[in-house]
Structures are given as C-alpha cells and as structure tokens.
Amino acid sequence: MSRYDPAAIEPKWQAAWEEAQTFKAVRSDDKPKYYVLEMFPYPSGRIHIGHVRNYTMGDVIARYKLSNGFNVLHPMGFDAFGMPAENAAMASGGHPKDWTYSNIETMVGQMKPLGFGLDWSRMFATCDPEYYGQQQALFLDFLEKGLVYRKNAVVNWDPVDMTVLANEQVIDGKGWRSGAEVERRELTQWFFKISDYSAELLEALDGLDDWPAKVKLMQANWIGQSRGLQFAFSTVDGPSGFDRIEVYTTRPDTLMGASFVGISPDHPLARALERESEDVAEFCARARKGGTTEEALEKAEKLGFDTGITVRHPFDTAWELPVYIANFILMDYGTGAIFGCPAHDQRDLDFARKYDLPVLSTFVPLSGEHALPEDSGIAYVPPKSEKVRWTRAFDWTEEATGDEAIEAAIGFCEKNGVGQGVTKFRLRDWGLSRQRYWGCPIPVVHCAACGVVPEKKENLPVRLPDDVTFDVPGNPLDRHPTWRDCTCPKCGAPAKRETDTMDTFVDSSWYFARFTAPHAATPTDMAEAEYWMNVDQYIGGIEHAILHLLYSRFFARAMNICGHLPAKSREPFDALFTQGMVTHAIYQTKDANGRPVYHYPEDVELRDGKGFLKDGTEVEIIPSAKMSKSKNNVVDPVKIIETYGADTARWFVLSDSPPERDVEWTAAGAEAANRHLGRVWRLCAEIAESDAPSTNEDEPLLREMHKAIHDVTMGVDSFGFNAAIAKLYAFTNALSKSRAGADAKRQAARVLAQLMSPMTPHLAEDCWQMLGGEGLIANAPWPKADPAMLVEDTVVLPIQVNGKRRGEIEVPRDLSKEEVEKRVLTHEAVVKLLEGGQPKKLIVVPGRIVNVVV
RNA sequence: GCCCGCGUGGUGGAAUGGUAGACACAGGGGACUUAAAAUCCCCAGCCCCUGGUGGCGUGCGAGUUCGAGUCUCGCCGCGGGCACCA
C-alpha cells in the first residue's frame, strides 16, 4: 500500500479547487451569503506562524459555511503602507515600493501552498494607487460632510534629526537614532471628528451580541463617558485676558479639598506667561521634554512651576489657590486645566507633598482605622459606590456614596451659579496626518489666495512620486524638487500640495468594504456592499481590540453618511473573534550605547535554560512576548510546510491551544500531528479496500459517528477548534479499533473525512476520493447528526458524600428522582458513611450527579 | 501609572456551578524485528502505602454554595492596549 504523501496530494487538490473555482465568491439569489474575514497582514516579508493560525481559523469557518450551503466571501489583501518599508529603504537603500511589492509576492507564494479557500481574484494592497485613490475620494467626501478638520496637536520631535518620531521610535524619552531627548511639539494636523460619535459608538456596543465582552468593555472604557462639572476659577490679578481659568472635573465632590490649580504647559495662560518670563519659558521647555504617550506622561516625574498667580475658591472668595504649570496635564484633555485635591488623588497628593501644598480630606471611611493622607502619603480613593462620611461637603448629608455626592455637588454648583454638570468623553479626535512618505497622500492643496483647497476628484489618485531618497531623515515629499508644485483647483494659481500622508489606520478602516467590490470606480459598489456586507465573522488579534476596531466602526458610519455603505453596515462586523497571539521568547543583547539588539531564534543556542550566540555571547531571554518583526522573534512556518505539508501545519496550529488564548510556540509536536494524519490516511485506504460483512458492532460505530458529527459541529460553530480536534482523535481511535463491517466503516470514514475537511482539506479530499465520495468534499453537504443516535439508555451517576466522590451507580436515563434516591441510599459507600443515620439532605441532579449530605 | 485579560500534571490543554486532568506531546514498559525505523498494545497528577472505601491537589489567601478550576473579594505573577508599530 502506498503512503500518505502530502507533497503529492496537496498541489493536486489545490489545482482541482482552482479549476472548479470552488472559492470564487459569486453573488446569487438562491443562497444565503457568508462573509468571513481575517485581519489582513502587514507585508513584513515572511508569513509567520501567527498568520498561519489566524488564516487557518478563518479558512475552517469559510469551508464549513461553504459545506452548509452559503455563498462564501473569503478574501485576502495586504495592509501595505507603513514605517517598516521606509526603515528598510533607509537601512539598505532600496525603495519602499519595491520592498513592499516584493514582500507581498513572497508572502503570497508562502500562503498559496497552505491551501486556504480564498478568492484570490479580489486581492489588493492598500498601497495600490487604485485603492488609495478611492481612499482619497473618501477623504474628500468626509471633508465635504464636515467629518475632517485641521487643528494643532503635539508630536514627538527629534531636535537633532529635525523629524517627527513615532511613539515606537521613542525609547526612554530619547530618539531611536539620534539618542536626543525628544520634545513635544505642536503641528497643524488633519483630524477625523470621531468624537462627534462618542455616544453612538458607546451605545451601539450593546447591540454587538457576538463580540467578546472584554473587547466591548475595553472600547467602552476607551470612549470613557464621564459625568462631571465644568466651571471657572476667577484669577486674582491674572494677566489681562485671563481673568478666568476654565476647568473640568469628574470629582466636584472634592472641590472643598482643592489645594491648587494645574495648567498644561500648552495652556494659553502658560503660553502668555512664557513670553513674559524666562523662568516660565525654561520650565515649559523642560516640561515639554519626553514622549507624547499617556504612559510616558503618567510615569514621568511630576513637575510643577508656581506661576505666582492665584485663583479664588468659588465657594470662599477669601480662599486663594496657587496656579501651577504642570507637565502631566495635556492640552488635548478637557480644558487643559485641573484643580488638584491631594487627599483623594494619588498623583495630586504626590504633587502636593513635593511642593508643600495643603492636604484637606473631604471624606473619611464610615468606620475603622484611617490614616489621613497627609500623614500616610496614601490618597484615600474608595470606589465611588462606597458610602463614606463627609467632613468637608457643600450641603449633602453626612453619609453618602461618592456617586451620590458627585450628583449633589453638581446640583449645588448649578444652583449657585458655579458651572454646570456636563457629560464628557475621553475619546479624542483621530489625528490622521503623518509626516512620512510611505502612506496615502492627503488630497488637498495649499493656495496662497484660497487657503486649503480639496483636490478635484477627477485628479485622483494623487500619486506618490517614485523618485525619492531616504538618505536623510525627514519626509522625502517635503524636499522633492517638483512633486509639491500644482495649480489651485479653485483659482488656477500656482499652489503647493499637502505633503502629509495618512495614518495607516485609515487604510485598514475600510478595506473590508472594498473587498466587496475591489475594482469599482467608486470606493464601494452599493449593490455589492448591500449583498456581501456585513462581515459575518471577523477574526483577528486581541491587540486590535481598541484602535483598529473603533476606527473601523467610525469609518463605517462616515461611509454610510457619504452613501458608500448601507445603513445596516454602520456596525460592519456582526461577529468578532479575537484569537490569542503566538508568542515566542525574545533574545536580546545590548549595543555599545546600551540600546537593545534582537537576535533570531535560529541564531541562538539554548543550554541549561540560558541562550548563547554562535560566538559564545550570552543573550538575555525575555519569555513569551508578542511576535514582532522588530523584535526578531518571529517563527517561520515554511520549514514545517516543506517537511510535513500544509495539512500538518494547519492541524497543528488548531490543535491543543484554545484559539482565543496566547500560545507559546514550540517546534515539538508538528511531527506527532503528521503521524496522526498519516494514520488517518492509511485507515481510510484500508477501509476503502475492505469487504468485511456487517457485524453487531456496526451500530456502536455509527453511534460514535453521530456523536462525532454533533461534537465537531458544535466545536466549529463555537470556535472550539482544539476541542473539535480532540473529538476527531477519539473518533479516529474508535474507528480504528472497531470490528464493524465494511459498509459501516466506509460510512464512518467518509464522515471522518468530512469532519476533518475544514482543517485538513487536502487529506480529506484524498480520503473522500478513495472512499468513493462524489465530487469534491469541499462541495459536499455537511453531515447531520441523528438525534436518536445520540442518546444513551443508561447513565452513570457519580455519588458524592459531602461533596466528595465516593462511588457511582448506573441507572436508566429517565429513572425518577425518587427511585434514584432509593438506590443511592442502599449504595455500599453511602450506607457505610451514614452509619445507620439519616442523610441531612439529598441532592439529585438528573443525569448528572447525586450529593448526600450527612 | 491606567484599562482589559490570563494562571489546571513534566508539557499543550479538557471540564453548561456537578466524577478535575478528556484528547494529545514528551516519558516509561511491552509486542513485532537479526537490529533499527515504522506500526501496534499497556502505564502514567502529587504524597503515603504491602494492600486504600487513604491524604493532598486547578498561582496564593479568604468568602458564597449541598457542591467552586468555574461565582465574589483581596493579593502575587505573566501578557495585551495606552491614541504616530501594525
């Protein structure tokens, strides 16, 4: 008998699918549609094992839905703009375009042998002018509807390289290349008005029944609806034009504990003082050092500068509070000014102790020991739902929860004309400008006479120039000799193009819609979008839980407003599954400047839990980190495919680990998966040739078969791929040991092939053919379990005594509770433990368990 | 620092609040073989023990419950996100 030979059968069946156009998505009215999408990859150059896991999951769903009679749309593309292409150009002198397209070619070449049921005819890359031209058209439509605007915002500025840095390029507050201390600098940038949709994006989460609760929670927290008080302090002898400082607080109940006012270094008042005083200017320059991330701001040493200006407390005009400029207050949040209540905020307390400011408690616990914050150095911040005793309040009762006090404080302030209660959101508008080359050009023109003018749609796409260099830092579009030159679309005078390009999140915020009509002359084709949208099942990494998904939800709304998507697609993803990441240790050493250098796993030899390079240098091992190109800890699946075949790789990434959980990659186990597939192949080949007569073991085998259909179907439906595979192992074992006749075995083996076909499609086709199945297994209807074959006549009930298992009895499945109780009480172990007494309680859970309480 | 997860044998993991460890990997033993490979069969949480109807056991500590891996609270450890990595 011949052997399982994936190298021979895999190309064969891929050619068969190609010829039959099995996976081409076709619109037709006779069938329901199903759109399954995995988050498209960045073309880093090689696929890694995380991709294989991600796309295999999607493929299982796609093939399963095809077998269930759906028209399936399962496309693939590339998220192709972004920094790594420019970094590669800087490092090795090529062009980002060449680097990107060559990477795409390589990756497609690596993906095709995996046998994914994809409609490759719909493939595109976001750096295709055809795609980004339509993205520019969307931008112009958004601009017309008032969904885009310009304002100032801070960026990371490298003062040595004279360039804007991404957060990733800021390491410990310093530029990654120059090592210079990074500054926060303001630039005029384009923004999407996502904040207008804060309330809607928050409320609509409730309707996303098939999204993971944790993702909805993360998004809700990110949007961050808060109820608070906005009011103004009046200044004592403030500079002219600054007689008021507007603040927003979510804790107005602590206003009587205020001890200072803090303003951002970019607050208009700070700006004004900066012009007057060198000391202030010096402080503000220092306060602007460091990166822009929230994390950097939170962790940075809190610095303040006493402006000498004071404000009056709104409820006691004799009470004056100092105004500090503070580095941890960002102009982008709220009003750029806060009041500090050290007793009930740790950051404010740290600040107060540093600058010797008073600490006034406004409430204390109802009972128990309480060290006052001014003594302990620990702010008292109980949950807002907890009742506390108020010691410095306005007019509410002595005992109240934080929530009650906040509402009371807002009411009191409104009644006394001090500000008003407002609902605010944490979500900020989405800054889309990037000072980089390899992105979608923002299609506007700057005209001396007309100002900012949108490019005409007939002139789209505004193409990136090819003749650029990356030998010096900065945006090549800025220094291109001619690219900027154009005429004003409005007045025809000579004008200059915008040189900023779009954030790559824009590219990935609508690709799912473009897949429904990838070559339409408009961003979408409404008839196609109407049919294929929404994405029925979206699959991707948990790392995209907030930004990508939130931006896409906003884009879908904006596209609906502009007539590019139907109203039903305002929420574009009906169901979401977040797969866990494939992690791998990072191996790092430090260079002469103390900056990390990352090494590939294949360059590291492991001995006694320590890692060494070939030259003997020991490397630091950082366990279990997200696989990331920049950390060199990616695992290449190509070798596994070459050695064992695609089906082994697919089977292996689905087995063992639950899909939503992170999995630490280990090479061991691929061989075992391969052995099992070989066993299935041999078993099918053997059964195909058997002519054994029927036996009384036929029925037990068929019962096992129906159980397998039921369990595997449930597993696939609920993304329990690892559980489904465990059932398939069990069913294979049962089939292999069964002494049933050839007909029953053939029937069972065909079902085994079908149940395996979404996971190991090539092997399944081959077995199907050997077993005399008709046509392609990919098109065969999914088997159905017969409910009558699933029920057993008797059940085994474990008997617990006081919650501990002490025995078991076998009873007819539908034996009455009373009868079960009677039999349990005669059970040897129970009789012994009862010692002649009566049980205190007897709990019978029908079909599950019995618990005797003595 | 803030938000969200995760933690079960040597390993990956299974388990609608109901027999903890299914299924597999690695390991041990055996069959077949001149031998090996391949294949097949058996064993296997930890501890004590000749034997069990024994003790312990799901990161740690409490709690709710007839019953907790699962629910609640508090810790510890690890991971993801924090708006310019994608």
Side-chain angles (χ1 to χ4, degrees):
Chain A
M1 193 193 298
S2 52
R3 294 169 56 91
Y4 170 51
D5 183 5
I9 67 172
E10 291 181 354
K12 180 174 91 183
W13 292 109
Q14 284 164 21
W17 299 324
E18 175 73 33
E19 201 195 318
Q21 297 275 288
T22 308
F23 302 107
K24 193 167 173 67
V26 181
R27 254 171 84 188
S28 71
D29 295 329
D30 58 327
K31 285 183 184 179
K33 70 89 191 181
Y34 196 90
Y35 182 2
V36 56
L37 180 68
E38 302 95 60
M39 291 179 185
F40 65 166
Y42 179 79
S44 57
R46 318 271 302 166
I47 58 169
H48 66 67
I49 199 72
H51 292 129
V52 177
R53 191 175 185 222
N54 190 200
Y55 306 135
T56 303
M57 287 178 199
D59 200 35
V60 170
I61 301 294
R63 287 172 178 271
Y64 170 68
K65 291 294 175 183
L66 191 68
S67 289
N68 278 286
F70 290 86
N71 281 331
V72 172
L73 172 57
H74 185 211
M76 180 55 65
F78 288 88
D79 188 13
F81 276 135
M83 290 201 314
E86 289 191 34
N87 293 340
M90 273 183 253
S92 45
H95 192 283
K97 186 168 143 183
D98 300 334
W99 183 86
T100 303
Y101 279 106
S102 134
N103 282 353
I104 289 173
E105 202 187 321
T106 308
M107 289 174 75
V108 170
Q110 293 176 335
M111 284 161 79
K112 288 215 166 160
L114 280 160
F116 296 133
L118 290 164
D119 182 352
W120 286 102
S121 72
R122 290 174 188 252
M123 184 181 112
F124 60 77
T126 55
C127 63
D128 295 343
E130 188 185 15
Y131 182 81
Y132 73 70
Q134 294 304 329
Q135 185 162 304
Q136 291 168 340
L138 280 180
F139 178 92
L140 295 178
D141 287 345
F142 288 9
L143 190 60
E144 200 181 307
K145 296 282 185 193
L147 293 162
V148 197
Y149 69 103
R150 296 216 306 163
K151 71 167 180 183
N152 285 350
V154 291
V155 294
N156 301 305
W157 181 256
D158 186 321
V160 171
D161 278 352
M162 302 287 280
T163 185
V164 177
L165 298 180
N167 287 333
E168 189 190 45
Q169 297 170 320
V170 179
I171 298 157
D172 296 332
K174 300 191 173 69
W176 66 335
R177 280 171 200 285
S178 67
E181 211 171 342
V182 168
E183 296 165 11
R184 292 195 288 273
R185 176 176 279 210
E186 278 202 339
L187 288 183
T188 304
Q189 314 212 57
W190 288 95
F191 283 81
F192 288 122
K193 290 207 86 174
I194 189 172
S195 65
D196 278 3
Y197 296 84
S198 298
E200 192 191 325
L201 288 166
L202 181 64
E203 281 159 22
L205 289 172
D206 284 342
L208 300 175
D209 297 330
D210 293 317
W211 279 43
K214 65 176 169 184
V215 173
K216 290 190 277 186
L217 189 56
M218 280 190 260
Q219 293 221 350
N221 288 339
W222 186 263
I223 294 167
Q225 182 168 20
S226 68
R227 172 84 177 147
L229 179 75
Q230 183 148 348
F231 69 101
F233 286 103
S234 54
T235 55
V236 181
D237 304 326
S240 79
F242 294 100
D243 48 343
R244 290 157 58 84
I245 296 176
E246 209 45 59
V247 300
Y248 171 75
T249 176
T250 57
R251 291 309 297 263
D253 54 319
T254 65
L255 184 51
M256 294 310 284
S259 62
F260 66 93
V261 167
I263 61 172
S264 163
D266 297 312
H267 191 277
L269 174 57
R271 285 284 162 96
L273 295 170
E274 196 175 6
R275 283 191 291 273
E276 307 288 304
S277 150
E278 260 179 45
D279 288 350
V280 176
E282 198 180 302
F283 176 82
C284 287
R286 202 169 136 215
R288 287 191 195 105
K289 296 262 192 220
T292 56
T293 66
E294 198 169 314
E295 186 187 1
L297 290 169
E298 288 284 344
K299 285 184 174 167
E301 191 195 357
K302 309 295 182 287
L303 298 174
F305 182 91
D306 188 351
T307 61
I309 296 170
T310 58
V311 296
R312 288 188 189 89
H313 194 282
F315 293 110
D316 181 356
T317 49
W319 180 4
E320 293 185 11
L321 305 171
V323 176
Y324 278 76
I325 302 172
N327 64 345
F328 54 87
I329 302 167
L330 256 197
M331 201 52 218
D332 290 357
Y333 298 100
T335 61
I338 58 134
F339 76 78
C341 175
H344 305 298
D345 183 290
Q346 191 61 45
R347 188 182 63 186
D348 292 349
L349 181 60
D350 295 343
F351 191 83
R353 285 160 76 92
K354 185 163 182 172
Y355 295 103
D356 211 15
L357 297 162
V359 179
L360 299 168
S361 286
T362 64
F363 53 81
V364 295
L366 287 183
S367 61
E369 292 280 304
H370 177 58
L372 289 173
E374 60 261 46
D375 302 325
S376 67
I378 297 162
Y380 178 49
V381 193
K384 284 184 200 166
S385 55
E386 194 174 304
K387 214 168 229 197
V388 292
R389 185 179 315 284
W390 294 81
T391 52
R392 292 174 65 83
F394 307 98
D395 68 342
W396 57 85
T397 50
E398 201 187 325
E399 288 181 15
T401 67
D403 287 321
E404 289 160 358
I406 289 166
E407 272 317 305
I410 290 171
F412 183 85
C413 289
E414 284 181 340
K415 207 166 64 200
N416 288 278
V418 177
Q420 51 194 324
V422 289
T423 296
K424 284 214 177 192
F425 295 91
R426 202 184 79 100
L427 180 64
R428 310 198 300 259
D429 279 332
W430 170 13
L432 67 116
S433 301
R434 296 293 180 269
Q435 296 70 42
R436 277 184 250 290
Y437 166 79
W438 194 233
C440 172
I442 295 174
V444 298
V445 165
H446 298 269
C447 169
C450 310
V452 179
V453 185
E455 182 56 274
K456 289 179 183 161
K457 273 198 183 168
E458 60 261 37
N459 293 337
L460 302 183
V462 175
R463 283 173 185 268
L464 288 169
D466 286 339
D467 52 336
V468 286
T469 56
F470 295 88
D471 43 359
V472 284
N475 183 354
L477 295 180
D478 264 338
R479 50 174 194 264
H480 191 279
T482 56
W483 185 78
R484 301 188 65 180
D485 300 327
C486 61
T487 53
C488 171
K490 210 176 193 174
C491 71
K496 294 283 185 194
R497 286 199 185 286
E498 169 84 46
T499 58
D500 282 357
T501 52
M502 296 187 202
D503 177 11
T504 56
F505 271 122
V506 181
D507 312 336
S508 56
S509 290
W510 71 287
Y511 76 107
F512 49 87
R514 184 70 182 170
F515 273 137
T516 64
H519 304 297
T522 45
T524 60
D525 173 326
M526 276 298 256
E528 296 287 340
E530 194 68 65
Y531 180 77
W532 290 113
M533 288 295 286
N534 295 342
V535 177
D536 293 278
Q537 182 66 61
Y538 196 31
I539 305 170
I542 185 68
E543 67 270 28
H544 295 293
I546 298 175
L547 293 179
H548 162 63
L549 290 167
L550 193 61
Y551 290 157
S552 296
R553 296 176 62 216
F554 163 71
F555 241 68
R557 284 165 172 77
M559 286 176 74
N560 170 241
I561 289 164
C562 299
H564 296 302
L565 276 179
K568 69 171 180 183
S569 303
R570 286 172 77 96
E571 283 300 338
F573 310 123
D574 284 353
L576 172 70
F577 184 84
T578 52
Q579 89 211 70
M581 283 171 300
V582 180
T583 60
H584 195 281
I586 293 172
Y587 304 113
Q588 78 171 33
T589 53
K590 298 269 167 80
D591 70 6
N593 299 321
R595 269 175 277 169
V597 178
Y598 302 105
H599 303 277
Y600 290 101
E602 55 263 39
D603 297 336
V604 175
E605 196 185 328
L606 295 173
R607 290 195 297 264
D608 306 328
K610 290 179 178 170
F612 300 91
L613 296 180
K614 291 201 173 68
D615 64 7
T617 317
E618 183 171 352
V619 296
E620 187 186 346
I621 300 176
I622 300 165
S624 284
K626 172 172 97 162
M627 281 196 186
S628 157
K629 183 101 166 65
S630 62
K631 302 277 165 64
N632 285 352
N633 66 334
V634 295
V635 170
D636 193 336
V638 167
K639 278 180 201 142
I640 296 172
I641 301 165
E642 279 169 0
T643 314
Y644 302 112
D647 282 338
T648 293
R650 296 169 58 117
W651 183 259
F652 180 50
V653 293
L654 293 175
S655 59
D656 288 353
S657 288
E660 69 278 9
R661 205 183 295 184
D662 289 352
V663 47
E664 172 79 16
W665 174 261
T666 55
E671 194 177 323
N674 184 253
R675 271 205 305 271
H676 178 73
L677 298 189
R679 190 166 156 236
V680 170
W681 193 91
R682 277 196 312 279
L683 186 59
C684 288
E686 200 181 289
I687 290 171
E689 284 166 16
S690 162
D691 56 0
S694 294
T695 73
N696 59 1
E697 290 200 29
D698 288 6
E699 192 186 313
L701 177 63
L702 294 179
R703 279 184 177 274
E704 285 297 323
M705 180 186 87
H706 284 278
K707 234 176 84 191
I709 294 172
H710 177 261
D711 291 349
V712 172
T713 304
M714 292 261 292
V716 172
D717 268 332
S718 62
F719 274 81
F721 302 126
N722 56 325
I725 282 181
K727 301 293 181 194
L728 286 167
Y729 269 108
F731 181 41
T732 307
N733 289 341
L735 177 59
S736 152
K737 283 177 188 166
S738 170
R739 294 180 188 187
D743 285 345
K745 278 196 167 186
R746 258 193 287 277
Q747 196 187 340
R750 274 199 295 266
V751 164
L752 174 64
Q754 282 195 279
L755 296 179
M756 288 177 73
S757 67
M759 296 138 186
T760 56
H762 314 86
L763 169 72
E765 292 284 6
D766 225 51
C767 293
W768 183 251
Q769 190 184 46
M770 287 191 284
L771 293 161
E774 260 180 58
L776 289 169
I777 201 170
N779 291 321
W782 191 253
K784 288 209 163 29
D786 177 358
M789 296 289 272
L790 298 175
V791 288
E792 305 285 344
D793 296 336
T794 63
V795 289
V796 175
L797 289 183
I799 299 171
Q800 292 183 332
V801 177
N802 290 339
K804 272 198 189 304
R805 184 176 182 275
R806 297 292 173 178
E808 58 183 38
I809 50 168
E810 187 171 354
V811 298
R813 187 167 49 86
D814 42 13
L815 190 70
S816 75
K817 231 172 168 167
E818 292 70 28
E819 187 60 31
V820 171
E821 285 179 15
K822 233 185 260 174
R823 293 196 194 180
V824 165
L825 290 175
T826 63
H827 190 275
E828 192 190 353
V830 176
V831 170
K832 202 162 186 182
L833 283 152
L834 275 175
E835 292 169 342
Q838 280 299 306
K840 227 188 253 170
K841 208 168 173 184
L842 192 55
I843 294 142
V844 178
V845 185
R848 302 294 295 190
I849 202 164
V850 181
N851 193 9
V852 186
V853 186
V854 300

